[in-house]
Amino acid sequence: MTLAEYRRKKGPAAHEETEVSGIRIEREGAAAHERAHPGPLEYIKIGVALAIITAVEVAVYYIGALKDVLVPILVVLSALKFSLVALWFMHLRFDNRLFSTFFVAGLMLAAAIFVVALATLGGSLR
Amino acid sequence: MHQASTAEPALATGTGLDNRKLLMWLFLASECLFFGSLIAAYLLYRDKSVVGPYPGDLFDIPFTSVSSFVLLMSSVTMVLALAAIQRGDRRGLQVWLLATALLGVLFLSGQAFEFTEFHRQGLSLSTNLFGTTFFVLTGFHGAHVSVGVLILLSLFVMALRGRLTAANSINVELAGLYWHFVDVVWIAIFTLVYLIQP
């Protein structure tokens, strides 16, 4: 009996745990750790927030008094925009954790390449 | 709140998740490495050029800010397209898909204008290390946006023919994931390449 046949015969369970490549996936009924996606109004609110953050980024760029702290401010604002898009528009906040695991693993590896390259070959953010 | 694909019954897969969506996330994870490497190369070499022009001579921050805003708003229209088809609104899907594709084309037009302007001012792929790393990074991003526009237009044609419904909204969701990824990459590029200058 295949796993799919077994699941069909067994029917929806109240709580299931599956392990894939060492990653434990907990499932409740059809789709555990998944929540309904937001509606259009919430998406528009996020869009407005993204537009405001972009405007703040550009404003900060032109404020001479903030020159010494420009890099950390811009990095934080950029990370905030990145998170809003990934969590709401890409639904990582609502979908199964496995998707987040994949994406975060990719980001961590990219960050590792980034840090190692800059540290060993002498680049900088300034 | 709208019931999305999450309301669908569990799929007959080992994880209960759609394999196409899993594959898309794996692809996006690999793309993180791709663009991470290109951004690292840019930051490494941008101030190692021995001849100009240099980033400070060329970048037009107000213009690029508008381009960034256009791409950000295209993410909003993309997610609205998905929300529309998930509630069975085919007309809404068509409108928002077309709007997303048009915003993508607008962004690409801005990039083409920027590239042309930079070339006119003496920067090419082989002028200096800044030119090489800048054009490779932003050029590959532009290529990704171009592919995204083609996918969106294909979906738009499918929507016009009535081949997209709430039941197969996964097609729009997958295209949306790709499009939003292209957007978050530009968020990083805009800050690290344009705003934070040597």
Side-chain angles (χ1 to χ4, degrees):
Chain A
M1 182 187 292
T2 64
L3 182 61
E5 288 166 345
Y6 167 75
R7 286 189 194 288
R8 273 196 293 273
K9 188 177 176 185
K10 190 181 169 195
H15 181 89
E16 284 183 52
E17 287 190 354
T18 310
E19 192 160 320
V20 179
S21 303
I23 301 167
R24 186 169 293 281
I25 304 158
E26 295 175 12
R27 305 171 62 237
E28 288 171 21
H33 295 296
E34 294 195 1
R35 287 184 279 162
H37 294 173
L41 187 62
E42 193 166 343
Y43 289 138
I44 289 169
K45 283 180 186 171
I46 298 292
V48 171
L50 288 169
I52 291 170
I53 295 169
T54 305
V56 171
E57 276 182 331
V58 177
V60 164
Y61 175 80
Y62 285 108
I63 298 173
L66 295 174
K67 197 175 179 183
D68 290 340
V69 287
L70 183 66
V71 173
I73 290 175
L74 289 176
V75 168
V76 168
L77 290 174
S78 178
L80 187 59
K81 282 163 66 179
F82 190 104
S83 303
L84 284 174
V85 174
L87 292 174
W88 266 270
F89 291 175
M90 298 172 90
H91 301 130
L92 285 181
R93 184 178 154 84
F94 311 98
D95 282 352
N96 193 286
R97 282 184 202 155
L98 190 57
F99 301 137
S100 302
T101 305
F102 284 165
F103 193 50
V104 171
L107 287 176
M108 298 280 277
L109 284 170
I113 288 175
F114 195 81
V115 170
V116 169
L118 296 189
T120 55
L121 298 172
S124 76
L125 276 176
R126 286 189 180 274
Chain B
M1 300 286 269
H2 293 260
Q3 288 298 316
S5 57
T6 52
E8 292 169 8
L11 293 159
T13 61
T15 58
L17 301 170
D18 193 305
N19 284 337
R20 293 165 294 180
K21 204 167 165 182
L22 273 177
L23 188 63
M24 176 55 84
W25 276 109
L26 275 175
F27 168 69
L28 296 182
S30 73
E31 288 278 273
C32 287
L33 292 175
F34 179 76
F35 278 107
S37 304
L38 291 179
I39 292 172
Y42 174 81
L43 293 177
L44 192 60
Y45 291 118
R46 67 178 175 179
D47 54 354
K48 299 277 196 301
S49 300
V50 290
V51 294
Y54 303 103
D57 304 330
L58 298 173
F59 287 163
D60 182 350
I61 299 302
F63 178 81
T64 314
S65 304
V66 173
S67 289
S68 302
F69 178 76
V70 166
L71 200 59
L72 266 179
M73 291 306 103
S74 76
S75 258
V76 180
T77 54
M78 183 70 235
V79 82
L80 289 175
L82 177 62
I85 192 60
Q86 284 177 339
R87 64 173 185 271
D89 176 7
R90 291 186 187 182
R91 180 71 182 157
L93 171 70
Q94 291 168 14
V95 168
W96 292 122
L97 275 180
L98 189 60
T100 310
L102 289 176
L103 288 170
V105 169
L106 191 58
F107 174 83
L108 287 171
S109 305
Q111 195 170 41
F113 172 78
E114 185 185 52
F115 280 16
T116 308
E117 190 62 21
F118 286 3
H119 191 263
R120 197 183 60 76
Q121 293 182 47
L123 186 74
S124 72
L125 197 62
S126 57
T127 303
N128 54 25
L129 283 170
F130 160 60
T132 304
T133 51
F134 173 80
F135 281 123
V136 169
L137 170 59
T138 54
F140 266 114
H141 180 268
H144 277 72
V145 176
S146 305
V147 169
V149 169
L150 291 175
I151 293 170
L152 289 169
L153 291 175
S154 304
L155 286 175
F156 177 67
V157 171
M158 286 174 71
L160 281 179
R161 293 179 177 176
R163 288 169 57 193
L164 288 177
T165 62
N168 63 4
S169 64
I170 185 72
N171 295 313
V172 180
E173 190 170 359
L174 294 177
L177 286 175
Y178 176 83
W179 191 259
H180 299 310
F181 176 78
V182 166
D183 185 26
V184 293
V185 168
W186 185 257
I187 287 171
I189 291 175
F190 178 59
T191 302
L192 295 173
V193 173
Y194 288 88
L195 294 181
I196 301 175
Q197 290 181 29

PDB file of all heavy atoms in Angstrom, chain A residues 40-69:
ATOM      1  N   PRO A  40      -7.891  41.281   0.360  1.00  0.00           N
ATOM      2  CA  PRO A  40      -7.312  42.394  -0.401  1.00  0.00           C
ATOM      3  C   PRO A  40      -6.988  43.629   0.452  1.00  0.00           C
ATOM      4  O   PRO A  40      -5.980  44.286   0.227  1.00  0.00           O
ATOM      5  CB  PRO A  40      -8.410  42.718  -1.420  1.00  0.00           C
ATOM      6  CG  PRO A  40      -9.190  41.465  -1.553  1.00  0.00           C
ATOM      7  CD  PRO A  40      -9.142  40.795  -0.227  1.00  0.00           C
ATOM      8  N   LEU A  41      -7.842  43.925   1.449  1.00  0.00           N
ATOM      9  CA  LEU A  41      -7.621  45.131   2.256  1.00  0.00           C
ATOM     10  C   LEU A  41      -6.287  45.056   3.000  1.00  0.00           C
ATOM     11  O   LEU A  41      -5.534  46.044   3.057  1.00  0.00           O
ATOM     12  CB  LEU A  41      -8.784  45.321   3.247  1.00  0.00           C
ATOM     13  CG  LEU A  41      -8.759  46.626   4.033  1.00  0.00           C
ATOM     14  CD1 LEU A  41      -8.864  47.826   3.095  1.00  0.00           C
ATOM     15  CD2 LEU A  41      -9.870  46.662   5.069  1.00  0.00           C
ATOM     16  N   GLU A  42      -6.006  43.881   3.544  1.00  0.00           N
ATOM     17  CA  GLU A  42      -4.740  43.718   4.277  1.00  0.00           C
ATOM     18  C   GLU A  42      -3.546  43.831   3.326  1.00  0.00           C
ATOM     19  O   GLU A  42      -2.516  44.409   3.667  1.00  0.00           O
ATOM     20  CB  GLU A  42      -4.729  42.372   5.008  1.00  0.00           C
ATOM     21  CG  GLU A  42      -3.593  42.287   6.025  1.00  0.00           C
ATOM     22  CD  GLU A  42      -3.765  41.133   6.993  1.00  0.00           C
ATOM     23  OE1 GLU A  42      -4.884  40.602   7.106  1.00  0.00           O
ATOM     24  OE2 GLU A  42      -2.762  40.767   7.629  1.00  0.00           O
ATOM     25  N   TYR A  43      -3.701  43.293   2.109  1.00  0.00           N
ATOM     26  CA  TYR A  43      -2.619  43.406   1.128  1.00  0.00           C
ATOM     27  C   TYR A  43      -2.362  44.875   0.781  1.00  0.00           C
ATOM     28  O   TYR A  43      -1.222  45.299   0.619  1.00  0.00           O
ATOM     29  CB  TYR A  43      -2.981  42.644  -0.154  1.00  0.00           C
ATOM     30  CG  TYR A  43      -2.978  41.139  -0.005  1.00  0.00           C
ATOM     31  CD1 TYR A  43      -3.982  40.364  -0.590  1.00  0.00           C
ATOM     32  CD2 TYR A  43      -1.967  40.478   0.682  1.00  0.00           C
ATOM     33  CE1 TYR A  43      -3.984  38.983  -0.476  1.00  0.00           C
ATOM     34  CE2 TYR A  43      -1.964  39.100   0.801  1.00  0.00           C
ATOM     35  CZ  TYR A  43      -2.973  38.359   0.218  1.00  0.00           C
ATOM     36  OH  TYR A  43      -2.963  36.995   0.329  1.00  0.00           O
ATOM     37  N   ILE A  44      -3.439  45.637   0.641  1.00  0.00           N
ATOM     38  CA  ILE A  44      -3.284  47.057   0.291  1.00  0.00           C
ATOM     39  C   ILE A  44      -2.602  47.810   1.447  1.00  0.00           C
ATOM     40  O   ILE A  44      -1.735  48.665   1.218  1.00  0.00           O
ATOM     41  CB  ILE A  44      -4.655  47.675  -0.058  1.00  0.00           C
ATOM     42  CG1 ILE A  44      -5.126  47.102  -1.407  1.00  0.00           C
ATOM     43  CG2 ILE A  44      -4.583  49.193  -0.133  1.00  0.00           C
ATOM     44  CD1 ILE A  44      -6.554  47.389  -1.765  1.00  0.00           C
ATOM     45  N   LYS A  45      -2.960  47.455   2.681  1.00  0.00           N
ATOM     46  CA  LYS A  45      -2.307  48.091   3.841  1.00  0.00           C
ATOM     47  C   LYS A  45      -0.800  47.817   3.827  1.00  0.00           C
ATOM     48  O   LYS A  45       0.016  48.703   4.087  1.00  0.00           O
ATOM     49  CB  LYS A  45      -2.915  47.555   5.143  1.00  0.00           C
ATOM     50  CG  LYS A  45      -4.273  48.135   5.479  1.00  0.00           C
ATOM     51  CD  LYS A  45      -4.773  47.521   6.784  1.00  0.00           C
ATOM     52  CE  LYS A  45      -6.199  47.962   7.078  1.00  0.00           C
ATOM     53  NZ  LYS A  45      -6.773  47.206   8.217  1.00  0.00           N
ATOM     54  N   ILE A  46      -0.431  46.579   3.499  1.00  0.00           N
ATOM     55  CA  ILE A  46       0.995  46.222   3.431  1.00  0.00           C
ATOM     56  C   ILE A  46       1.666  47.015   2.301  1.00  0.00           C
ATOM     57  O   ILE A  46       2.787  47.511   2.449  1.00  0.00           O
ATOM     58  CB  ILE A  46       1.178  44.703   3.186  1.00  0.00           C
ATOM     59  CG1 ILE A  46       0.582  43.898   4.342  1.00  0.00           C
ATOM     60  CG2 ILE A  46       2.653  44.342   2.990  1.00  0.00           C
ATOM     61  CD1 ILE A  46       1.305  44.045   5.655  1.00  0.00           C
ATOM     62  N   GLY A  47       0.958  47.160   1.175  1.00  0.00           N
ATOM     63  CA  GLY A  47       1.485  47.924   0.041  1.00  0.00           C
ATOM     64  C   GLY A  47       1.751  49.376   0.426  1.00  0.00           C
ATOM     65  O   GLY A  47       2.788  49.944   0.067  1.00  0.00           O
ATOM     66  N   VAL A  48       0.820  49.970   1.189  1.00  0.00           N
ATOM     67  CA  VAL A  48       1.000  51.357   1.643  1.00  0.00           C
ATOM     68  C   VAL A  48       2.216  51.446   2.576  1.00  0.00           C
ATOM     69  O   VAL A  48       3.047  52.361   2.464  1.00  0.00           O
ATOM     70  CB  VAL A  48      -0.280  51.858   2.364  1.00  0.00           C
ATOM     71  CG1 VAL A  48      -0.033  53.201   3.041  1.00  0.00           C
ATOM     72  CG2 VAL A  48      -1.433  51.972   1.366  1.00  0.00           C
ATOM     73  N   ALA A  49       2.340  50.459   3.472  1.00  0.00           N
ATOM     74  CA  ALA A  49       3.498  50.436   4.388  1.00  0.00           C
ATOM     75  C   ALA A  49       4.803  50.358   3.600  1.00  0.00           C
ATOM     76  O   ALA A  49       5.773  51.057   3.915  1.00  0.00           O
ATOM     77  CB  ALA A  49       3.377  49.253   5.349  1.00  0.00           C
ATOM     78  N   LEU A  50       4.816  49.529   2.553  1.00  0.00           N
ATOM     79  CA  LEU A  50       6.033  49.386   1.730  1.00  0.00           C
ATOM     80  C   LEU A  50       6.381  50.705   1.036  1.00  0.00           C
ATOM     81  O   LEU A  50       7.551  51.093   0.967  1.00  0.00           O
ATOM     82  CB  LEU A  50       5.821  48.290   0.678  1.00  0.00           C
ATOM     83  CG  LEU A  50       5.788  46.854   1.198  1.00  0.00           C
ATOM     84  CD1 LEU A  50       5.298  45.904   0.107  1.00  0.00           C
ATOM     85  CD2 LEU A  50       7.164  46.431   1.672  1.00  0.00           C
ATOM     86  N   ALA A  51       5.354  51.403   0.542  1.00  0.00           N
ATOM     87  CA  ALA A  51       5.582  52.686  -0.138  1.00  0.00           C
ATOM     88  C   ALA A  51       6.141  53.709   0.856  1.00  0.00           C
ATOM     89  O   ALA A  51       7.077  54.459   0.530  1.00  0.00           O
ATOM     90  CB  ALA A  51       4.268  53.186  -0.739  1.00  0.00           C
ATOM     91  N   ILE A  52       5.601  53.728   2.084  1.00  0.00           N
ATOM     92  CA  ILE A  52       6.076  54.680   3.098  1.00  0.00           C
ATOM     93  C   ILE A  52       7.533  54.383   3.469  1.00  0.00           C
ATOM     94  O   ILE A  52       8.361  55.298   3.559  1.00  0.00           O
ATOM     95  CB  ILE A  52       5.169  54.627   4.356  1.00  0.00           C
ATOM     96  CG1 ILE A  52       3.789  55.203   4.017  1.00  0.00           C
ATOM     97  CG2 ILE A  52       5.797  55.389   5.525  1.00  0.00           C
ATOM     98  CD1 ILE A  52       2.741  54.987   5.093  1.00  0.00           C
ATOM     99  N   ILE A  53       7.853  53.100   3.637  1.00  0.00           N
ATOM    100  CA  ILE A  53       9.237  52.731   4.005  1.00  0.00           C
ATOM    101  C   ILE A  53      10.208  53.148   2.896  1.00  0.00           C
ATOM    102  O   ILE A  53      11.298  53.653   3.165  1.00  0.00           O
ATOM    103  CB  ILE A  53       9.347  51.217   4.290  1.00  0.00           C
ATOM    104  CG1 ILE A  53       8.509  50.844   5.515  1.00  0.00           C
ATOM    105  CG2 ILE A  53      10.805  50.819   4.540  1.00  0.00           C
ATOM    106  CD1 ILE A  53       8.339  49.348   5.722  1.00  0.00           C
ATOM    107  N   THR A  54       9.793  52.954   1.628  1.00  0.00           N
ATOM    108  CA  THR A  54      10.656  53.361   0.505  1.00  0.00           C
ATOM    109  C   THR A  54      10.892  54.865   0.527  1.00  0.00           C
ATOM    110  O   THR A  54      12.018  55.342   0.317  1.00  0.00           O
ATOM    111  CB  THR A  54      10.024  52.944  -0.841  1.00  0.00           C
ATOM    112  OG1 THR A  54       9.767  51.536  -0.813  1.00  0.00           O
ATOM    113  CG2 THR A  54      10.939  53.259  -2.009  1.00  0.00           C
ATOM    114  N   ALA A  55       9.815  55.627   0.809  1.00  0.00           N
ATOM    115  CA  ALA A  55       9.949  57.092   0.884  1.00  0.00           C
ATOM    116  C   ALA A  55      10.903  57.479   2.016  1.00  0.00           C
ATOM    117  O   ALA A  55      11.743  58.375   1.852  1.00  0.00           O
ATOM    118  CB  ALA A  55       8.567  57.714   1.104  1.00  0.00           C
ATOM    119  N   VAL A  56      10.798  56.786   3.159  1.00  0.00           N
ATOM    120  CA  VAL A  56      11.689  57.069   4.294  1.00  0.00           C
ATOM    121  C   VAL A  56      13.140  56.763   3.917  1.00  0.00           C
ATOM    122  O   VAL A  56      14.052  57.541   4.222  1.00  0.00           O
ATOM    123  CB  VAL A  56      11.268  56.247   5.543  1.00  0.00           C
ATOM    124  CG1 VAL A  56      12.302  56.362   6.655  1.00  0.00           C
ATOM    125  CG2 VAL A  56       9.902  56.717   6.045  1.00  0.00           C
ATOM    126  N   GLU A  57      13.344  55.646   3.206  1.00  0.00           N
ATOM    127  CA  GLU A  57      14.704  55.279   2.764  1.00  0.00           C
ATOM    128  C   GLU A  57      15.332  56.402   1.947  1.00  0.00           C
ATOM    129  O   GLU A  57      16.472  56.793   2.185  1.00  0.00           O
ATOM    130  CB  GLU A  57      14.650  54.017   1.894  1.00  0.00           C
ATOM    131  CG  GLU A  57      14.647  52.718   2.652  1.00  0.00           C
ATOM    132  CD  GLU A  57      14.650  51.518   1.707  1.00  0.00           C
ATOM    133  OE1 GLU A  57      14.123  51.627   0.579  1.00  0.00           O
ATOM    134  OE2 GLU A  57      15.178  50.482   2.093  1.00  0.00           O
ATOM    135  N   VAL A  58      14.575  56.895   0.979  1.00  0.00           N
ATOM    136  CA  VAL A  58      15.102  57.934   0.089  1.00  0.00           C
ATOM    137  C   VAL A  58      15.334  59.228   0.876  1.00  0.00           C
ATOM    138  O   VAL A  58      16.355  59.911   0.695  1.00  0.00           O
ATOM    139  CB  VAL A  58      14.142  58.158  -1.101  1.00  0.00           C
ATOM    140  CG1 VAL A  58      14.652  59.281  -1.993  1.00  0.00           C
ATOM    141  CG2 VAL A  58      14.008  56.877  -1.914  1.00  0.00           C
ATOM    142  N   ALA A  59      14.405  59.546   1.798  1.00  0.00           N
ATOM    143  CA  ALA A  59      14.558  60.758   2.611  1.00  0.00           C
ATOM    144  C   ALA A  59      15.821  60.672   3.472  1.00  0.00           C
ATOM    145  O   ALA A  59      16.607  61.624   3.535  1.00  0.00           O
ATOM    146  CB  ALA A  59      13.323  60.947   3.484  1.00  0.00           C
ATOM    147  N   VAL A  60      16.013  59.514   4.097  1.00  0.00           N
ATOM    148  CA  VAL A  60      17.188  59.308   4.961  1.00  0.00           C
ATOM    149  C   VAL A  60      18.475  59.480   4.160  1.00  0.00           C
ATOM    150  O   VAL A  60      19.453  60.052   4.639  1.00  0.00           O
ATOM    151  CB  VAL A  60      17.116  57.895   5.607  1.00  0.00           C
ATOM    152  CG1 VAL A  60      18.469  57.482   6.177  1.00  0.00           C
ATOM    153  CG2 VAL A  60      16.058  57.870   6.694  1.00  0.00           C
ATOM    154  N   TYR A  61      18.452  59.012   2.906  1.00  0.00           N
ATOM    155  CA  TYR A  61      19.623  59.105   2.032  1.00  0.00           C
ATOM    156  C   TYR A  61      20.068  60.561   1.847  1.00  0.00           C
ATOM    157  O   TYR A  61      21.249  60.853   1.736  1.00  0.00           O
ATOM    158  CB  TYR A  61      19.271  58.473   0.676  1.00  0.00           C
ATOM    159  CG  TYR A  61      20.342  58.594  -0.372  1.00  0.00           C
ATOM    160  CD1 TYR A  61      21.436  57.728  -0.380  1.00  0.00           C
ATOM    161  CD2 TYR A  61      20.260  59.568  -1.358  1.00  0.00           C
ATOM    162  CE1 TYR A  61      22.417  57.838  -1.354  1.00  0.00           C
ATOM    163  CE2 TYR A  61      21.232  59.687  -2.331  1.00  0.00           C
ATOM    164  CZ  TYR A  61      22.303  58.820  -2.321  1.00  0.00           C
ATOM    165  OH  TYR A  61      23.277  58.937  -3.280  1.00  0.00           O
ATOM    166  N   TYR A  62      19.106  61.481   1.838  1.00  0.00           N
ATOM    167  CA  TYR A  62      19.425  62.891   1.574  1.00  0.00           C
ATOM    168  C   TYR A  62      19.664  63.712   2.843  1.00  0.00           C
ATOM    169  O   TYR A  62      19.983  64.890   2.760  1.00  0.00           O
ATOM    170  CB  TYR A  62      18.297  63.542   0.762  1.00  0.00           C
ATOM    171  CG  TYR A  62      18.327  63.120  -0.691  1.00  0.00           C
ATOM    172  CD1 TYR A  62      17.366  62.258  -1.212  1.00  0.00           C
ATOM    173  CD2 TYR A  62      19.335  63.580  -1.546  1.00  0.00           C
ATOM    174  CE1 TYR A  62      17.395  61.862  -2.540  1.00  0.00           C
ATOM    175  CE2 TYR A  62      19.371  63.193  -2.874  1.00  0.00           C
ATOM    176  CZ  TYR A  62      18.404  62.338  -3.363  1.00  0.00           C
ATOM    177  OH  TYR A  62      18.451  61.954  -4.672  1.00  0.00           O
ATOM    178  N   ILE A  63      19.447  63.118   4.032  1.00  0.00           N
ATOM    179  CA  ILE A  63      19.659  63.863   5.282  1.00  0.00           C
ATOM    180  C   ILE A  63      21.129  63.745   5.697  1.00  0.00           C
ATOM    181  O   ILE A  63      21.589  62.670   6.112  1.00  0.00           O
ATOM    182  CB  ILE A  63      18.723  63.345   6.408  1.00  0.00           C
ATOM    183  CG1 ILE A  63      17.261  63.570   6.000  1.00  0.00           C
ATOM    184  CG2 ILE A  63      19.021  64.059   7.728  1.00  0.00           C
ATOM    185  CD1 ILE A  63      16.249  62.951   6.953  1.00  0.00           C
ATOM    186  N   GLY A  64      21.853  64.835   5.566  1.00  0.00           N
ATOM    187  CA  GLY A  64      23.292  64.834   5.836  1.00  0.00           C
ATOM    188  C   GLY A  64      23.623  64.460   7.270  1.00  0.00           C
ATOM    189  O   GLY A  64      24.642  63.806   7.534  1.00  0.00           O
ATOM    190  N   ALA A  65      22.779  64.882   8.226  1.00  0.00           N
ATOM    191  CA  ALA A  65      23.042  64.628   9.649  1.00  0.00           C
ATOM    192  C   ALA A  65      23.060  63.129   9.980  1.00  0.00           C
ATOM    193  O   ALA A  65      23.622  62.729  10.993  1.00  0.00           O
ATOM    194  CB  ALA A  65      21.992  65.334  10.497  1.00  0.00           C
ATOM    195  N   LEU A  66      22.437  62.323   9.118  1.00  0.00           N
ATOM    196  CA  LEU A  66      22.356  60.879   9.394  1.00  0.00           C
ATOM    197  C   LEU A  66      23.451  60.084   8.667  1.00  0.00           C
ATOM    198  O   LEU A  66      23.416  58.854   8.635  1.00  0.00           O
ATOM    199  CB  LEU A  66      20.983  60.338   8.986  1.00  0.00           C
ATOM    200  CG  LEU A  66      19.787  60.873   9.770  1.00  0.00           C
ATOM    201  CD1 LEU A  66      18.483  60.379   9.169  1.00  0.00           C
ATOM    202  CD2 LEU A  66      19.875  60.452  11.236  1.00  0.00           C
ATOM    203  N   LYS A  67      24.427  60.814   8.103  1.00  0.00           N
ATOM    204  CA  LYS A  67      25.434  60.150   7.270  1.00  0.00           C
ATOM    205  C   LYS A  67      26.167  59.032   8.022  1.00  0.00           C
ATOM    206  O   LYS A  67      26.445  57.969   7.457  1.00  0.00           O
ATOM    207  CB  LYS A  67      26.436  61.186   6.762  1.00  0.00           C
ATOM    208  CG  LYS A  67      27.253  60.698   5.595  1.00  0.00           C
ATOM    209  CD  LYS A  67      28.138  61.784   5.040  1.00  0.00           C
ATOM    210  CE  LYS A  67      28.965  61.248   3.886  1.00  0.00           C
ATOM    211  NZ  LYS A  67      29.898  62.261   3.364  1.00  0.00           N
ATOM    212  N   ASP A  68      26.466  59.282   9.312  1.00  0.00           N
ATOM    213  CA  ASP A  68      27.234  58.280  10.075  1.00  0.00           C
ATOM    214  C   ASP A  68      26.444  57.005  10.359  1.00  0.00           C
ATOM    215  O   ASP A  68      27.040  55.949  10.578  1.00  0.00           O
ATOM    216  CB  ASP A  68      27.706  58.897  11.402  1.00  0.00           C
ATOM    217  CG  ASP A  68      28.782  59.953  11.173  1.00  0.00           C
ATOM    218  OD1 ASP A  68      29.398  59.931  10.087  1.00  0.00           O
ATOM    219  OD2 ASP A  68      28.980  60.806  12.056  1.00  0.00           O
ATOM    220  N   VAL A  69      25.123  57.134  10.404  1.00  0.00           N
ATOM    221  CA  VAL A  69      24.299  55.946  10.709  1.00  0.00           C
ATOM    222  C   VAL A  69      23.458  55.521   9.500  1.00  0.00           C
ATOM    223  O   VAL A  69      22.508  54.752   9.636  1.00  0.00           O
ATOM    224  CB  VAL A  69      23.363  56.212  11.920  1.00  0.00           C
ATOM    225  CG1 VAL A  69      24.162  56.235  13.208  1.00  0.00           C
ATOM    226  CG2 VAL A  69      22.573  57.489  11.734  1.00  0.00           C
TER     227      VAL A  69
END
